Amino acid sequence: TGEPIYQEKRVDRVRVAVPFQSVITERTVGFLFSIPVEYQLTMKRPATDNETELFNSVVSIFDANKIKYIDKRIGRTLFSERECAELWYYTLDANKKPKEMRVKLLSPSRGDELYPHWDEYDKMDGFGRKYNIVDEDGISTIHFDVYTDRLVYKYINDGGGWKLLEMPKQHGFTKIPVIYYRQEEAEWTKVQPVIERVEELLSNWGDTNDYFGSPSYFVKGQLTGFAEKG
């Protein structure tokens, strides 16, 4: 008939995501912790043998927990999630006596909800951690642990409301065994609009290339954009 024939085709728009956030986070961690933190005993007077031994014990605990790697994990978590915490605890031997001191990193991405509490002088006087535990039968139970300077209270909620799992126990420290970190913004917050603009430009340029980079349409009966052998 001489009328043009059209074929409809759905074309998805190009969406390019550039992980600048990850680059910013990793570079910040690199600037801070590529050279591991070194600890020194600094006093106004010469340290006694007991003080030196105590300091060496602390360094040994840090080394046993691979604290230089923990520092990097804390940095990555804090800079992206804006909050995390170190939970220090004792493992017990066969006689239920403290065996060694260990540390666990808590963060929202690891399934933890963190609830620090401060008094009127901005001193943390309590810390709560909410998390889920799934048993071998697939049953999920919500746990809530509360730490004070001496005791830890363990609560559970199995669907029937909160209840105290066991009597409060001493955690073995004289302070709250939690170091809480928080910052108000992620590392990339101030440049997020710039990141979104770059992604938008790259996406639009990808669309342009898809539509016009290699055109394959007929003009006056001849195929343009491609060399075709007849």
Side-chain angles (χ1 to χ4, degrees):
T1 63
E3 296 295 329
I5 299 175
Y6 297 97
Q7 180 180 1
E8 292 185 0
K9 178 182 178 181
R10 177 180 177 84
V11 179
D12 293 329
R13 293 194 60 186
V14 174
R15 285 293 178 265
V16 178
V18 184
F20 284 119
Q21 296 89 343
S22 177
V23 173
I24 292 172
T25 299
E26 287 301 319
R27 288 186 179 178
T28 306
V29 171
F31 277 119
L32 286 175
F33 300 118
S34 288
I35 299 177
V37 178
E38 294 184 0
Y39 301 91
Q40 296 180 351
L41 179 59
T42 304
M43 304 183 66
K44 294 182 179 180
R45 55 172 176 77
T48 64
D49 292 340
N50 289 337
E51 290 169 340
T52 302
E53 182 180 359
L54 177 60
F55 173 77
N56 292 333
S57 297
V58 172
V59 174
S60 297
I61 292 173
F62 286 167
D63 291 340
N65 284 277
K66 298 180 174 59
I67 201 68
K68 62 181 180 180
Y69 300 108
I70 297 293
D71 287 340
K72 291 184 177 181
R73 291 172 59 193
I74 291 173
R76 291 189 185 97
T77 305
L78 177 63
F79 300 152
S80 56
E81 301 179 40
R82 302 188 298 113
E83 70 168 351
C84 62
E86 297 177 45
L87 172 61
W88 289 88
Y89 62 95
Y90 282 110
T91 60
L92 304 179
D93 58 18
N95 297 320
K96 303 296 182 181
K97 298 295 183 180
K99 180 180 179 181
E100 59 181 355
M101 191 183 300
R102 306 292 294 174
V103 63
K104 179 179 178 62
L105 179 60
L106 310 178
S107 69
S109 64
R110 293 169 174 82
D112 302 299
E113 294 183 23
L114 310 180
Y115 297 92
H117 185 273
W118 291 274
D119 61 15
E120 63 272 21
Y121 302 105
D122 292 332
K123 179 180 179 181
M124 190 167 69
D125 56 3
F127 183 85
R129 174 200 176 198
K130 184 179 179 182
Y131 58 98
N132 289 346
I133 291 183
V134 181
D135 62 18
E136 59 274 9
D137 297 325
I139 300 176
S140 177
T141 305
I142 305 175
H143 289 247
F144 194 92
D145 300 342
V146 178
Y147 294 88
T148 65
D149 58 348
R150 298 283 182 174
L151 302 174
V152 53
Y153 300 77
K154 292 183 176 292
Y155 298 87
I156 63 169
N157 187 343
D158 53 5
W162 290 104
K163 59 183 178 181
L164 190 63
L165 180 61
E166 56 189 13
M167 292 301 296
K169 292 184 178 180
Q170 293 189 354
H171 47 60
F173 300 90
T174 58
K175 294 180 179 294
I176 299 173
V178 176
I179 303 175
Y180 178 72
Y181 304 90
R182 180 178 177 84
Q183 64 181 41
E184 296 304 318
E185 296 180 342
E187 289 297 298
W188 61 83
T189 298
K190 289 183 173 59
V191 296
Q192 182 62 30
V194 180
I195 295 174
E196 294 175 358
R197 179 59 176 161
V198 171
E199 292 176 337
E200 181 182 12
L201 291 175
L202 290 175
S203 299
N204 292 341
W205 184 247
D207 281 331
T208 301
N209 279 337
D210 286 348
Y211 296 155
F212 306 112
S214 299
S216 57
Y217 51 89
F218 283 93
V219 177
K220 295 183 179 180
Q222 295 192 6
L223 183 66
T224 64
F226 292 92
E228 185 180 58
K229 293 182 180 180

